[in-house]
Amino acid sequence: MRFAKLKSTGRVIASLSGGEGADDLNKFASELGYPIDEMDIGYEDDAVVEGWFLAQDKAALTYKDKRVDEYPSIGDQLDDIYHNGIDAWKATIKTTKDKYPKP
């Protein structure tokens, strides 16, 4: 897979399957709208490039996004309050809040 990363940040800005050789890479890079000397371009296994994109996506999540993914469902939270009381619910929620604090 062809890829292009910004040298300044390491962020992957594009990828495209297929292609071979330096001419193909230069054509790919020239179509991206960045100066070629500001990019690292090359070939890498598909799984590696996909891993880079997943890491970028995960890093872009805010603390709110991370909390939403980790909190129990509303139904489970209400069930927790009903069966264990508000203090037990607060303790459950506090675990997630402590794991992903506000910046």
Side-chain angles (χ1 to χ4, degrees):
M1 177 177 284
R2 294 171 277 185
F3 72 88
K5 287 183 172 185
L6 289 179
K7 289 181 180 179
S8 60
T9 63
R11 185 174 65 90
V12 181
I13 54 173
S15 66
L16 188 64
S17 295
E20 290 185 13
D23 289 339
D24 186 59
L25 272 181
N26 288 332
K27 183 178 183 298
F28 168 68
S30 68
E31 295 171 352
L32 297 177
Y34 292 91
I36 289 180
D37 63 338
E38 293 181 9
M39 296 184 291
D40 287 323
I41 56 173
Y43 292 99
E44 189 57 79
D45 290 334
D46 290 3
V48 171
V49 175
E50 289 168 10
W52 292 340
F53 278 115
L54 287 174
Q56 283 178 194
D57 291 346
K58 187 174 181 179
L61 292 176
T62 67
Y63 78 95
K64 289 180 183 179
D65 298 325
K66 293 174 184 175
R67 284 182 178 183
V68 165
D69 289 342
E70 191 134 337
Y71 284 140
S73 70
I74 295 297
D76 288 344
Q77 290 183 48
L78 291 171
D79 197 49
D80 190 23
I81 292 169
Y82 179 80
H83 291 288
N84 303 311
I86 196 80
D87 290 332
W89 170 79
K90 285 181 180 179
T92 300
I93 297 304
K94 186 173 180 341
T95 302
T96 300
K97 287 184 177 284
D98 290 346
K99 186 174 180 180
Y100 303 111
K102 289 182 180 179

